[in-house]
Amino acid sequence: MPPDVSLINDRVIIWVVAELHLLFAAFVLGAPIFIVVCEYLGLRTKDDRYERLAKETMKIVAISYSLTALFGGAMTFVLVGRYQELSNFLFKSFYPVFGLYAMLLLVESSLMYVYWYTWDAMAGRKAAHISIGIALNVVGTVVMVLMNGVGSFMLTPPDSPDTASVWQLMNNATWTGLNLHRFIANISFGGFMVALFAAIMFLTSKREADKAFYDWMGYIGNFIGVAALIALPVAGYIYTKEIFAYDATISTLLMADKLAWFFVIQGILVGFLLLGSMYYMWLSIRRIAGGARFQSYFRGAFWAAVVGFAIWLVPQNFLSSLTARPSGPIEAVTIPERAIFLGLMPAKGLAVSIMVVVTAFVYFLYRQAIATGSMVWGQIDTKAQLTLTFLPGLAVFTMAYMGPIRELARGEWHIFQFMPDKTPNSFLTPLGFTASMAAVITLIFFLLMSAIFWLGFKVGHQESAR
Amino acid sequence: MRILIAVVAIIALIWLLPLFLSVESGLKFGLPYRVFFSLIVIFVGFVFYLLRAPDMPSPKSAGRAVASVAIVFVASIGLIVLFANLAPQFAFESKGSAAGTPIESGKAIFNDPNAGCFLCHAVGGAGGTRGPDLSHVATVASKRRPAMSAEDYLKESLLNPSAYVVPTFDNIMPPIAQRLPPEKLNDLLTYLMTLK
């Protein structure tokens, strides 16, 4: 923090509140997709576990809705109170969008309550109940798409935003990319969060039947989380390509200048997510009868993945910006001439592709092993359950870390090249401070989630036991 | 044990090899790279250790289970935050008022990626080479177009770069300055006029 700025300031407050709103919103959007899929699978396969999984997860989602709204309201208060020029412009320009947003939020909340409270009453009419769940997801996705229009507009507004139509403001250069990226990320996040609940319940359960169920629940959560995670880098690539096409100077700031090292850390985070999901599958395959024959392929896949990971991380230099100059010789902190290719985008792209393809390959092998062998649920290495807690922790941290990068990409603008940010606490935050803030937000999120989890799972279980 | 030996051997190679390489070889990595690569090797070793590690027993109580989850969280995210704090950092920088005087403000605009000047033009040896070196542009500009003052010439170059292209350079400069508010354009001009 600059010496003349207090630690608790407008910037930090809006940062924390907005991120928490986004994290809870991502959960209440991602988890219902997961829940409806599980409910449908329960109906189709007649496997009661899917039904139980869907219902237990929905309990958590129902409580999380109120916290999403709470942080959304708090964010609006801070925006209106402390960022009046920006909020005035946004509310005025997007007035019909915000009107529709409010209306749809009402519809979404109503559908959520109907979906949750009719679960038992509509047990005999599953198809109708699933239809309510699908409607909930469709409305939720439209709500997200509307707000993505406002968020993406701030980074890539059309020409003359003050005279552009609402549709031109919404349909800006990165709306599609952001929609795609957030939609897939929410599914992955929902899956990993379900895996987290399952892992904690597995680790704290005493009954074998419960352990077997939560082991299976974690497997399904990871299954959905990884499936979406594999597609995520492609969506991220489309999104950044849109940013690049809009204005190459933003990409320079992101990839070659002040934020370049932010992306080294992001590479570590995504690499850890991919390797972590592979490691869970490695541990899981060991308890499948006949699974051992796949392990040599797994080992090869890990080799390919770590090589890709290492290449992905090689930085172009150890400088904080393009114009920074080291105290010693510059050769010591820049990549040597014959290894420059390792720091360039073609090598990075290839490395990421290797990691994604290898994860998809492991995922395919894992499915093959399950299809050809029998799984013994409830008997799995504790490390696998700890991995299932590591993945959502990392996913939340990654989301809390990527948010400020998108904000910092606008440089000194509230709305890029249109409305400058002249507020007193408008400063570019260095990497260490940004990562520390992401860690604090992650901690707050999980503390709140623990309370929800305790209410939904533990108290709920005691009630049903009575 | 085999993994540990392999890790130590590769790290030794990372640190010893540069002693036998010259800068001209184009493969002599500096100290930060050697530390960075060593950390990656330790991480890779840890991954392969985990693949071989024996099964971990179930926690004996719910308290221990929650504690083990908390340790995984704190250790993984804590290490990433630590690394982020050790990586190269720029100083906190005000976005709204980059500088007090017009010259400082102009310099900040020149070095701001949103304007992008330094990507093609160098000042004092720092910057790109696709455009002319601007280290002494105020002096050079006064001689470039006989009928124009240095200030008028620079203003024209910023707003309409194609009006005059310095021989041996391509006509590639976009009219970026057109997007700058008038006061910022003046600041940039003031800064350029100090480069004598």
Side-chain angles (χ1 to χ4, degrees):
Chain A
M1 192 64 61
D4 55 337
V5 178
S6 103
L7 185 61
I8 311 258
N9 58 60
D10 295 342
R11 176 81 183 286
V12 166
I13 292 169
I14 190 82
W15 186 341
V16 173
V17 171
E19 273 304 331
L20 286 171
H21 173 62
L22 278 172
L23 289 171
F24 277 103
F27 179 65
V28 300
L29 286 172
I33 299 173
F34 177 91
I35 291 164
V36 171
V37 170
C38 285
E39 199 184 4
Y40 169 73
L41 287 173
L43 176 69
R44 203 175 145 190
T45 61
K46 307 288 176 210
D47 185 341
D48 289 342
R49 291 179 303 178
Y50 282 110
E51 173 75 9
R52 184 180 164 193
L53 166 59
K55 201 175 167 189
E56 294 216 357
T57 311
M58 193 60 206
K59 223 185 291 178
I60 306 285
V61 172
I63 307 169
S64 302
Y65 255 89
S66 46
L67 274 178
T68 312
L70 181 89
F71 285 114
M75 188 174 93
T76 311
F77 289 144
V78 182
L79 269 178
V80 172
R82 309 303 289 175
Y83 296 90
Q84 284 168 0
E85 190 192 2
L86 172 67
S87 50
N88 279 349
F89 180 83
L90 291 179
F91 287 131
K92 194 175 148 203
S93 307
F94 287 91
Y95 188 69
V97 177
F98 280 108
L100 184 63
Y101 173 71
M103 216 166 66
L104 288 176
L105 271 187
L106 193 69
V107 176
E108 190 192 8
S109 313
S110 308
L111 281 170
M112 191 276 293
Y113 286 116
V114 171
Y115 184 59
W116 173 231
Y117 285 105
T118 59
W119 200 291
D120 294 328
M122 292 181 75
R125 286 176 292 154
K126 266 288 157 203
H129 191 253
I130 290 170
S131 304
I132 299 171
I134 292 171
L136 167 66
N137 278 300
V138 170
V139 176
T141 304
V142 175
V143 165
M144 178 193 76
V145 164
L146 290 178
M147 283 305 101
N148 284 351
V150 181
S152 56
F153 160 79
M154 289 169 69
L155 180 62
T156 55
D159 291 336
S160 313
D162 36 3
T163 54
S165 68
V166 176
W167 173 246
Q168 285 170 327
L169 298 179
M170 288 290 286
N171 189 27
N172 62 75
T174 54
W175 189 32
T176 311
L178 186 62
N179 282 332
L180 188 67
H181 195 256
R182 278 198 170 155
F183 181 71
I184 297 173
N186 287 349
I187 297 175
S188 184
F189 180 53
F192 284 138
M193 286 302 287
V194 169
L196 170 72
F197 301 138
I200 293 175
M201 289 305 288
F202 178 94
L203 291 170
T204 55
S205 291
K206 294 278 175 240
R207 289 176 53 220
E208 285 305 314
D210 282 342
K211 275 191 180 290
F213 172 72
Y214 290 117
D215 183 11
W216 174 83
M217 181 174 170
Y219 154 77
I220 296 289
N222 184 67
F223 173 72
I224 303 277
V226 178
L229 183 67
I230 290 168
L232 207 48
V234 179
Y237 176 75
I238 292 170
Y239 181 43
T240 44
K241 204 162 183 237
E242 285 178 352
I243 295 175
F244 191 86
Y246 177 80
D247 193 320
T249 59
I250 304 176
S251 307
T252 306
L253 175 70
L254 291 175
M255 299 295 173
D257 194 30
K258 290 198 171 92
L259 302 186
W261 263 90
F262 283 61
F263 280 88
V264 175
I265 301 292
Q266 194 227 357
I268 293 176
L269 292 168
V270 178
F272 277 10
L273 279 172
L274 292 170
L275 287 168
S277 54
M278 282 172 64
Y279 186 57
Y280 172 79
M281 291 187 271
W282 160 269
L283 291 171
S284 186
I285 207 170
R286 285 173 20 183
R287 42 71 181 272
I288 299 172
R293 66 197 161 99
F294 292 99
Q295 283 196 318
S296 58
Y297 297 111
F298 265 62
R299 210 169 272 124
F302 269 102
W303 268 116
V306 293
V307 169
F309 183 57
I311 294 173
W312 191 5
L313 298 187
V314 176
Q316 269 283 2
N317 55 56
F318 279 81
L319 295 168
S320 60
S321 72
L322 263 173
T323 49
R325 287 293 165 264
S327 49
I330 196 151
E331 298 81 36
V333 292
T334 49
I335 196 161
E337 203 181 328
R338 286 198 182 161
I340 280 177
F341 69 95
L342 286 172
L344 298 177
M345 282 316 284
K348 306 283 182 207
L350 184 66
V352 177
S353 304
I354 288 172
M355 288 199 74
V356 171
V357 168
V358 159
T359 310
F361 172 68
V362 166
Y363 188 72
F364 169 74
L365 281 184
Y366 183 52
R367 300 286 301 156
Q368 278 295 107
I370 292 167
T372 54
S374 61
M375 184 90 90
V376 186
W377 297 110
Q379 290 176 14
I380 188 166
D381 186 355
T382 302
K383 289 201 293 293
Q385 300 302 328
L386 290 177
T387 307
L388 289 186
T389 65
F390 162 79
L391 290 172
L394 211 61
V396 170
F397 180 81
T398 306
M399 290 166 79
Y401 177 77
M402 291 306 293
I405 294 182
R406 216 164 52 79
E407 197 274 337
L408 292 172
R410 293 199 303 271
E412 63 183 75
W413 305 89
H414 272 319
I415 298 167
F416 189 68
Q417 303 284 5
F418 175 69
M419 183 185 286
D421 181 357
K422 294 174 189 156
T423 51
N425 299 315
S426 158
F427 42 77
L428 279 180
T429 52
L431 176 56
F433 181 82
T434 309
S436 304
M437 279 290 293
V440 170
I441 290 165
T442 305
L443 180 70
I444 298 172
F445 176 75
F446 277 110
L447 286 175
L448 291 169
M449 263 297 173
S450 304
I452 294 172
F453 172 74
W454 178 76
L455 277 173
F457 271 59
K458 288 295 183 187
V459 176
H461 270 237
Q462 284 161 10
E463 286 292 317
S464 52
R466 266 188 224 127
Chain B
M1 194 61 184
R2 268 170 48 197
I3 293 172
L4 187 66
I5 293 168
V7 166
V8 171
I10 296 171
I11 290 177
L13 201 65
I14 288 169
W15 286 88
L16 293 174
L17 207 58
L19 299 178
F20 303 100
L21 291 171
S22 63
V23 175
E24 288 71 37
S25 69
L27 281 169
K28 191 178 170 95
F29 285 95
L31 180 75
Y33 277 97
R34 279 178 259 166
V35 173
F36 191 75
F37 290 145
S38 302
L39 289 173
I40 289 178
V41 171
I42 292 169
F43 172 73
V44 172
F46 180 65
V47 168
F48 282 93
Y49 161 76
L50 280 178
L51 295 186
R52 291 156 177 252
D55 281 5
M56 187 187 274
S58 293
K60 289 197 168 52
S61 65
R64 282 191 184 187
V66 173
S68 51
V69 170
I71 289 168
V72 170
F73 264 54
V74 173
S76 52
I77 292 174
L79 275 176
I80 291 165
V81 172
L82 177 70
F83 186 69
N85 276 281
L86 293 174
Q89 313 278 321
F90 54 82
F92 273 98
E93 189 180 300
S94 170
K95 291 197 293 184
S97 53
T101 67
I103 296 171
E104 286 169 340
S105 166
K107 190 177 180 184
I109 296 165
F110 185 87
N111 290 322
D112 181 350
N114 286 326
C117 312
F118 72 96
L119 296 173
C120 296
H121 298 284
V123 171
T129 53
R130 278 185 288 178
D133 188 311
L134 301 185
S135 301
H136 308 288
V137 71
T139 311
V140 176
S142 61
K143 298 168 192 158
R144 197 100 341 121
R145 314 256 320 248
M148 290 174 98
S149 68
E151 195 163 351
D152 286 345
Y153 168 73
L154 285 175
K155 197 166 187 175
E156 181 194 69
S157 298
L158 287 166
L159 294 171
N160 183 15
S162 303
Y164 176 81
V165 179
V166 177
T168 75
F169 288 95
D170 294 328
N171 182 16
I172 54 168
M173 179 165 157
I176 287 173
Q178 285 180 8
R179 296 189 316 209
L180 291 172
E183 69 274 13
K184 290 207 165 188
L185 179 63
N186 282 336
D187 289 349
L188 180 58
L189 207 53
T190 309
Y191 166 64
L192 292 175
M193 286 302 291
T194 64
L195 303 174
K196 292 183 175 162

